[in-house]
Amino acid sequence: MGKDKEKTIYIGKVVKRLRKEKGWSQEKVALNSNLDRSYYGEIERNEKAPSLYVTFKLARGFEIEPEDLVREIKESTAFYDIFKDDDDDK
C-alpha cells in the first residue's frame, strides 16, 4: 500500500472515531462542516484525502480547533511510520 493511501486511511479513521464519540451522523458532521455528505462519507471510507482547507472545515464541523484535529491525526497509531522520511534509515 502506498504512503498516500495509508495517510488517507488514518485521516478517515480519526474523523469516523470523532463522529462516533459525539454520537453524530455523517449528515450532521457534513452539515456542520459545510461539506456534501457524500464527500464526507468518502473521507471516512478512505476514498478521499481532505485538503488542508477541508481539514479546517472538518475541525469547525466537529466544533474543535484545527490544530486539535491535526493533533488527533498525528497521534493516530501509525502516523510516525507513515510520515517518516524514507531516507532516515540511510
Side-chain angles (χ1 to χ4, degrees):
M1 177 181 302
K3 284 190 177 183
D4 288 339
K5 180 62 176 175
E6 290 176 14
K7 292 173 198 174
T8 305
I9 288 170
Y10 289 100
I11 293 168
K13 286 182 178 184
V14 168
V15 297
K16 185 174 186 176
R17 179 180 53 77
L18 289 172
R19 177 179 64 78
K20 289 187 176 242
E21 284 175 0
K22 289 185 173 278
W24 291 355
S25 66
Q26 287 185 347
E27 290 83 3
K28 179 170 176 71
V29 176
L31 182 64
N32 286 359
S33 304
N34 198 26
L35 297 171
D36 184 85
R37 201 239 21 105
S38 63
Y39 178 66
Y40 175 79
E42 290 174 327
I43 294 170
E44 268 199 17
R45 290 189 306 275
N46 312 309
E47 296 169 1
K48 300 281 184 181
S51 66
L52 182 59
Y53 175 70
V54 171
T55 301
F56 275 57
K57 290 176 79 166
L58 285 167
R60 183 178 59 223
F62 283 114
E63 301 173 348
I64 61 175
E65 294 297 320
E67 58 266 25
D68 294 332
L69 178 55
V70 171
R71 187 176 305 109
E72 291 277 347
I73 295 165
K74 181 179 178 184
E75 292 173 354
S76 67
T77 306
F79 179 90
Y80 297 103
D81 291 339
I82 292 171
F83 291 94
K84 179 180 168 189
D85 186 0
D86 290 334
D87 294 333
D88 286 351
D89 294 333
K90 296 179 184 176

